[in-house]
Amino acid sequence: MSSFDNTHITALTDLINKAVQDIIAEYASAGRAVPSLDTLESGLFQVPEETPARLTKAIQIVEAACAQLSCTVAPPGSVMINKSLEHEEPACLLVVTEARIADLLLDKPEGLPASELASRSGLDTRKLTRILRLLATKHCFKEVKPGVFANNRLSMKLLSSDTVSSIVCLLTDESLRASAYLNETLTDPSERDGGIPFIRATGYPFFDYHKTRQGLKKGERFPRAMVGWGDVTGKGLLAKVYPWTSQPANTTICDVGGGNGHVTMNLMKAHPHIKVVVQDQPQVIEMAQKFWAKEYPGAMEKERVQFIPFDFFKDAAVQGCDFYYIRSILRDWPDTESELILKNVRQAMKQGSRVIIHDTVLRDAVRTPESSSNASVHHDVAPEPLLPNYGVARVRTYELDMTMMNLLNSQMRTLPEFIELGKRCGLRFEKLYEVGETDLVEFSPI
Ligand SMILES: C[S@@+](CC[C@H](N)C(=O)[O-])C[C@H]1O[C@@H](n2cnc3c(N)ncnc32)[C@H](O)[C@@H]1O
């Protein structure tokens, strides 16, 4: 780089300019202007399923390039202090979400004084003012007059009626608490608490904590938080990304650890020629049957769905299905347990069966020749000079990996880790498909 070469920043502003034009064009073709932060109605393009691919990509470029540009031009010491203080924002988000401040501000475009919000929520006026001012400075809520706050586009997601507020609480409560103990847990050679920061923080394993007196409410919030996560990350994309339409009639998909089977139910609604077998623990299978009877009685009447209880550590999956679909399971378990699950699936496969692991695949933060040349790997690589994994635009994937480490001592995996895990269980990697923020990793039997 010559002493006058500034292309490392001008290339970023070029990317931003082009992406902003793309964003404007996508909204224009839907007959709208791009909403401002003050726009309260939910409007267009709220979920990945409804967002055109060009818009998704442009938004990621803006997020990644703006962050990379700020980190490049600001003094490094200043950047590092800012990063180190970022935990204050989630702590404040938990306070306002549990206090339902967004609910109190609903239909009040002129806002309410913090004193009134405090008296209605039982919080201290001065402290709530400071909390709301910090959040407004980070663009969540708006300070309309000194000490008077109103909702904006971001704070509307904290309404108690919005599933996003539940995932915000999970991440800013249980998860933030555990991450405060990460260093202490990693550097303690005694492996006290099984090396799990959450246990050190609370005295309980994650799911046991939800059964304690102090954890009960958080346990009730957990399933809704999972729905919120799915709503934001595009659970409906599964039906569009994999070539389901080219599968023959009565193709059978076993939903391994499928919970109530809500994902394969959506898939069947989009592709009625497939059949589904839901497998999970006995008590969950009972719930699944009730769920399908209510939400999709036709599938039960026509015997398009079966429910078979099992323990995925001890029992083989149901024999001879065409697909074994494993969503959000392996991230919860270390390699030893994940191997047990996969081997029990492998045992049930016939020739021609496929395993589809639906999870998030971690990408490297460095450009490698394989990242753009492997024909089996269909994933989007960011344009230079951005990081190939879209940097900050996709950082929550890596943060979620930390969440798994802190809460459960489990992990997200890279593609080579998935391929290796598959190999140890008699499975050959076929293809990677991107499904919004998650991925499908397809395997066949070796
Ligand atoms: C994170 S949930 C994922 C559910 C579903 N696949 C989804 O994506 O919504 C994990 C699932 O694993 C199931 N599970 C946990 N231990 C199990 C076991 N030993 N045998 C079978 N299923 C189990 C749970 O009941 C739960 O439904």
Side-chain angles (χ1 to χ4, degrees):
M1 203 161 107
S2 88
S3 51
F4 291 107
D5 185 357
N6 287 313
T7 48
H8 59 298
I9 58 170
T10 54
L12 290 170
T13 52
D14 288 349
L15 281 174
I16 294 168
N17 285 333
K18 162 81 175 61
V20 167
Q21 291 311 317
D22 285 348
I23 293 170
I24 292 171
E26 284 294 343
Y27 273 89
S29 61
R32 298 283 179 88
V34 181
S36 77
L37 273 171
D38 293 338
T39 309
L40 296 186
E41 61 273 14
S42 50
L44 291 172
F45 310 136
Q46 291 283 302
V47 290
E49 294 89 315
E50 293 162 12
T51 309
R54 177 168 76 148
L55 180 56
T56 303
K57 183 160 183 155
I59 292 169
Q60 287 188 358
I61 288 175
V62 169
E63 289 179 314
C66 289
Q68 192 166 321
L69 187 58
S70 320
C71 285
T72 308
V73 298
S78 167
V79 174
M80 291 316 295
I81 290 176
N82 288 349
K83 284 182 186 294
S84 309
L85 281 166
E86 275 172 6
H87 61 282
E88 301 298 359
E89 185 183 9
C92 293
L93 280 174
L94 179 60
V95 173
V96 297
T97 311
E98 288 211 333
R100 302 193 171 199
I101 300 298
D103 291 39
L104 296 175
L105 290 172
L106 194 59
D107 300 325
K108 303 238 169 355
E110 69 293 351
L112 285 177
S115 54
E116 192 168 338
L117 293 168
S119 77
R120 291 215 215 160
S121 59
L123 292 169
D124 175 87
T125 298
R126 294 223 36 205
K127 288 183 177 163
L128 181 60
T129 309
R130 290 156 63 197
I131 287 170
L132 285 170
R133 197 167 285 137
L134 165 70
L135 292 175
T137 304
K138 302 244 351 203
H139 305 295
C140 176
F141 296 103
K142 180 178 182 183
E143 190 166 11
V144 284
K145 280 192 271 178
V148 177
F149 294 90
N151 274 327
N152 72 354
R153 185 169 158 79
L154 300 194
S155 69
M156 289 295 279
K157 299 310 287 179
L158 303 182
L159 286 172
S160 56
S161 55
D162 194 311
T163 56
V164 171
S165 66
S166 301
I167 183 77
V168 166
C169 284
L170 169 65
L171 296 174
T172 57
D173 190 344
E174 291 99 306
S175 188
L176 181 62
R177 229 189 283 196
S179 56
Y181 287 86
L182 176 62
N183 183 48
E184 200 176 307
T185 312
L186 287 182
T187 52
D188 178 356
S190 76
E191 281 269 317
R192 183 159 71 87
D193 310 317
I196 303 180
F198 185 81
I199 299 185
R200 191 166 290 231
T202 65
Y204 295 94
F206 183 63
F207 289 111
D208 291 354
Y209 175 71
H210 283 164
K211 294 175 200 147
T212 63
R213 195 175 46 80
Q214 67 272 35
L216 217 50
K217 276 219 156 110
K218 304 174 204 295
E220 285 164 17
R221 178 171 76 194
F222 184 77
R224 202 159 175 275
M226 293 299 101
V227 176
W229 179 261
D231 288 346
V232 169
T233 54
K235 64 181 174 203
L237 287 172
L238 171 68
K240 296 187 178 170
V241 171
Y242 193 81
W244 301 111
T245 39
S246 56
Q247 305 304 319
N250 299 325
T251 291
T252 306
I253 301 174
C254 178
D255 195 349
V256 180
N260 60 13
H262 63 115
V263 182
T264 39
M265 177 191 283
N266 280 341
L267 188 61
M268 192 196 274
K269 284 180 178 171
H271 300 283
H273 68 291
I274 63 171
K275 291 172 93 171
V276 167
V277 181
V278 184
Q279 292 212 267
D280 205 295
Q281 306 179 84
Q283 72 279 14
V284 181
I285 284 295
E286 272 178 40
M287 281 168 21
Q289 280 170 309
K290 287 185 193 141
F291 177 70
W292 282 69
K294 179 161 174 274
E295 301 291 329
Y296 200 8
M300 293 186 80
E301 283 152 21
K302 291 183 193 150
E303 300 186 353
R304 308 287 304 165
V305 56
Q306 271 183 286
F307 302 90
I308 303 183
F310 85 145
D311 179 336
F312 56 38
F313 294 122
K314 296 193 184 130
D315 308 320
V318 70
Q319 297 287 319
C321 293
D322 301 295
F323 289 92
Y324 293 86
Y325 173 70
I326 309 175
R327 178 182 185 261
S328 303
I329 301 284
L330 301 184
R331 66 166 66 165
D332 288 350
W333 301 101
D335 281 352
T336 315
E337 285 82 357
S338 295
E339 263 184 64
L340 275 179
I341 297 170
L342 277 183
K343 283 181 177 160
N344 280 329
V345 167
R346 174 66 184 86
Q347 267 193 49
M349 292 171 83
K350 59 182 179 186
Q351 226 187 354
S353 298
R354 296 288 164 121
V355 166
I356 293 191
I357 296 173
H358 189 170
D359 241 311
T360 304
V361 174
L362 295 175
R363 275 85 163 136
D364 295 317
V366 61
R367 233 164 260 276
T368 59
E370 303 85 63
S371 56
S372 41
S373 67
N374 187 344
S376 304
V377 179
H378 297 269
H379 72 75
D380 188 13
V381 178
E384 300 210 42
L386 298 179
L387 293 173
N389 62 357
Y390 281 90
V392 160
R394 293 207 187 151
V395 74
R396 68 179 174 212
T397 303
Y398 302 83
E399 287 167 340
L400 195 62
D401 184 36
M402 293 301 111
T403 303
M404 302 321 275
M405 185 194 296
N406 293 330
L407 296 183
L408 298 164
N409 201 18
S410 63
Q411 65 192 93
M412 317 274 265
R413 292 178 173 88
T414 61
L415 186 60
E417 285 168 343
F418 271 119
I419 293 175
E420 205 33 57
L421 181 65
K423 241 189 232 164
R424 293 199 295 273
C425 303
L427 296 167
R428 179 191 303 111
F429 169 66
E430 294 288 341
K431 261 188 186 179
L432 176 82
Y433 299 82
E434 274 194 349
V435 191
E437 270 177 55
T438 58
D439 302 272
L440 306 181
V441 192
E442 185 181 30
F443 291 93
S444 62
I446 291 175

